[in-house]
Amino acid sequence: MNKYELALVISVKLEEEERTAALEKAKGYITRFGGTVTNVDEWGRKKLAYEIQKMKEGFYYFIQFEADATCPGQLESQLRIMEPVIRYLIVKQEA
């Protein structure tokens, strides 16, 4: 099992419940593809470095998880089509 970190930026146009549902859906994808969520850091509403889809702010979440090598690719394919997600990045953490 490798350790990964998912940086997730969710749209500010959503209500609290919709943001929570999008976060839970992303965590659900991790467990569906054989991973285990170890930690979730919520950074809250932050200014984006540049405008994305006419938005200047986003809600930032950092999810640490453990999974095999196939999970990040499958997770990325699902995050790519999620409407509330405006940006994501999956990185492998060094041991």
Side-chain angles (χ1 to χ4, degrees):
M1 294 290 248
N2 299 319
K3 293 184 179 191
Y4 295 96
E5 182 175 48
L6 166 63
L8 196 61
V9 182
I10 297 178
S11 173
V12 293
K13 296 179 181 177
L14 301 175
E15 297 295 324
E16 178 76 29
E17 305 86 42
E18 294 170 309
R19 274 197 319 272
T20 304
L23 180 63
E24 291 302 317
K25 192 172 184 180
K27 289 173 20 183
Y29 284 136
I30 292 170
T31 55
R32 183 192 302 174
F33 299 133
T36 307
V37 176
T38 56
N39 188 28
V40 178
D41 288 332
E42 181 178 341
W43 282 21
R45 189 177 188 141
K46 299 282 183 189
K47 188 174 185 304
L48 298 172
Y50 53 89
E51 195 172 296
I52 303 171
Q53 299 173 1
K54 299 186 179 181
M55 287 182 267
K56 296 180 192 256
E57 293 181 323
F59 281 92
Y60 283 72
Y61 298 93
F62 293 90
I63 303 170
Q64 284 89 26
F65 64 98
E66 294 180 357
D68 61 2
T70 61
C71 180
Q74 293 172 323
L75 177 60
E76 191 171 310
S77 67
Q78 293 299 320
L79 291 173
R80 186 176 292 128
I81 58 175
M82 282 180 65
E83 189 73 29
V85 175
I86 56 176
R87 282 292 185 267
Y88 63 89
L89 177 66
I90 302 172
V91 294
K92 183 177 177 183
Q93 294 180 330
E94 294 300 320

